[in-house]
Amino acid sequence: MESEMKCNMSEMWSLKMPKGLDLEITHHPLTMRSVVNLVIAMERLKGSGSVRSTKCTDENLLNFMMESIVEEQTVFERGSAPPLQFRRTDEYQCSVTDSKKRSLVLVQNSMELHAMMLQGGAENSKVYLNMSTYIHPAPSAEARTVALGIRGTNLYLSCHKDGPEATLHLEAVEDKNSLLSIRSDSDMVRFLFYKQDTGVNISTLVSVAFRDWYISTAVDNNKPVEMCLETAQRHRTFNIQHQSSNLPRAS
Ligand SMILES: *[C@@H]1O[C@H](CO)[C@@H](O)[C@H](O)[C@H]1NC(C)=O
Ligand SMILES: *[C@@H]1O[C@H](CO)[C@@H](O)[C@H](O)[C@H]1NC(C)=O
Ligand SMILES: *[C@@H]1O[C@H](CO)[C@@H](O)[C@H](O)[C@H]1NC(C)=O
């Protein structure tokens, strides 16, 4: 918005505003955008030469007013919960096993993760996750927001819900930068999970989009990792260990 404005805001700000006209520039804490309010006593504006006395032309000032009014309406139309912005901070490589010490294995044909007991030789089929952590705009002590990618691929875990059941998917993300910053009202939220710690290196992973749904493994071996509700007879806790190369990403 600032860039579209033809008037230099700081310059305008420093000018003595004409009587009846006032300018407030605030930073919206949730969207990180500047919100400009023009406070006008309307009768002062009508036919008054005073507006012309600033360096900005009437036309610029009018554009400026219209933009600020449009901006305000947008804010109000969104209702009580303005969109939040999740920003990626770090990325860690993690070893993940379920509460039965089973590893996750990628089944290419069905594009599913399965929970399996791996014997010595099969260890190299074990999936490691790249866990990206996000700054939550309203942080909570018990949960970190994360995105989960499969190391060495461009596949990320995502949660969808079409009917009553939420489902877990592996989605190819061509441009990893599309996950840098995610708005809570965008469909990219399907890639985000709340990592809630329940013990040392023990966590549950709840969908940010569908908050009752947990990533879980079946009681039986070699079954797909799926989403489930808290009441389901499935395993919902995972042992997540950062690997030694867990230095924060450069940049
Ligand atoms: C706006 O005006 C201020 C004060 O005159 C000046 O320091 C600043 O560089 C200007 N900014 C732009 C983007 O023109
Ligand atoms: C996984 O994370 C590591 C460490 O941050 C990074 O170097 C690597 O590029 C990531 N790989 C993928 C496929 O995202
Ligand atoms: C937790 O994970 C770290 C590595 O991230 C490991 O060094 C430590 O031993 C683990 N602790 C337990 C109790 O599993």
Side-chain angles (χ1 to χ4, degrees), residues 200-201 241-242:
V200 180
N201 302 344
Q241 300 205 6
H242 290 179

PDB file of all heavy atoms in Angstrom, residues 200-201 241-242, ligand 3:
ATOM      1  N   VAL A 200       9.986 -35.995  26.917  1.00  0.00           N
ATOM      2  CA  VAL A 200      11.268 -35.681  26.281  1.00  0.00           C
ATOM      3  C   VAL A 200      11.295 -36.348  24.905  1.00  0.00           C
ATOM      4  O   VAL A 200      11.189 -37.567  24.806  1.00  0.00           O
ATOM      5  CB  VAL A 200      12.453 -36.178  27.137  1.00  0.00           C
ATOM      6  CG1 VAL A 200      13.780 -35.847  26.454  1.00  0.00           C
ATOM      7  CG2 VAL A 200      12.394 -35.556  28.515  1.00  0.00           C
ATOM      8  N   ASN A 201      11.391 -35.549  23.871  1.00  0.00           N
ATOM      9  CA  ASN A 201      11.402 -36.011  22.473  1.00  0.00           C
ATOM     10  C   ASN A 201      10.103 -36.723  22.066  1.00  0.00           C
ATOM     11  O   ASN A 201      10.071 -37.391  21.052  1.00  0.00           O
ATOM     12  CB  ASN A 201      12.592 -36.951  22.195  1.00  0.00           C
ATOM     13  CG  ASN A 201      13.931 -36.287  22.485  1.00  0.00           C
ATOM     14  OD1 ASN A 201      14.031 -35.074  22.609  1.00  0.00           O
ATOM     15  ND2 ASN A 201      14.961 -37.101  22.578  1.00  0.00           N
ATOM     16  N   GLN A 241      13.480 -37.092  17.206  1.00  0.00           N
ATOM     17  CA  GLN A 241      14.826 -36.704  17.636  1.00  0.00           C
ATOM     18  C   GLN A 241      15.511 -35.907  16.536  1.00  0.00           C
ATOM     19  O   GLN A 241      15.606 -36.381  15.404  1.00  0.00           O
ATOM     20  CB  GLN A 241      15.667 -37.948  17.937  1.00  0.00           C
ATOM     21  CG  GLN A 241      15.062 -38.785  19.035  1.00  0.00           C
ATOM     22  CD  GLN A 241      16.099 -39.624  19.757  1.00  0.00           C
ATOM     23  OE1 GLN A 241      17.284 -39.510  19.510  1.00  0.00           O
ATOM     24  NE2 GLN A 241      15.629 -40.475  20.650  1.00  0.00           N
ATOM     25  N   HIS A 242      15.969 -34.730  16.925  1.00  0.00           N
ATOM     26  CA  HIS A 242      16.761 -33.942  15.970  1.00  0.00           C
ATOM     27  C   HIS A 242      18.040 -34.701  15.667  1.00  0.00           C
ATOM     28  O   HIS A 242      18.668 -35.249  16.568  1.00  0.00           O
ATOM     29  CB  HIS A 242      17.120 -32.582  16.576  1.00  0.00           C
ATOM     30  CG  HIS A 242      15.945 -31.683  16.721  1.00  0.00           C
ATOM     31  ND1 HIS A 242      16.028 -30.432  17.265  1.00  0.00           N
ATOM     32  CD2 HIS A 242      14.651 -31.851  16.388  1.00  0.00           C
ATOM     33  CE1 HIS A 242      14.834 -29.867  17.260  1.00  0.00           C
ATOM     34  NE2 HIS A 242      13.993 -30.712  16.741  1.00  0.00           N
TER      35      HIS A 242
HETATM   36  C1  LIG B   3      16.244 -36.703  22.825  1.00  0.00           C
HETATM   37  O1  LIG B   3      16.811 -36.417  21.561  1.00  0.00           O
HETATM   38  C2  LIG B   3      18.172 -36.013  21.593  1.00  0.00           C
HETATM   39  C3  LIG B   3      18.566 -35.700  20.177  1.00  0.00           C
HETATM   40  O2  LIG B   3      17.720 -34.737  19.627  1.00  0.00           O
HETATM   41  C4  LIG B   3      19.013 -37.093  22.196  1.00  0.00           C
HETATM   42  O3  LIG B   3      20.347 -36.653  22.299  1.00  0.00           O
HETATM   43  C5  LIG B   3      18.483 -37.473  23.575  1.00  0.00           C
HETATM   44  O4  LIG B   3      19.203 -38.579  24.078  1.00  0.00           O
HETATM   45  C6  LIG B   3      17.013 -37.826  23.489  1.00  0.00           C
HETATM   46  N1  LIG B   3      16.496 -38.085  24.821  1.00  0.00           N
HETATM   47  C7  LIG B   3      15.693 -39.116  25.084  1.00  0.00           C
HETATM   48  C8  LIG B   3      15.281 -39.270  26.501  1.00  0.00           C
HETATM   49  O5  LIG B   3      15.297 -39.890  24.220  1.00  0.00           O
END
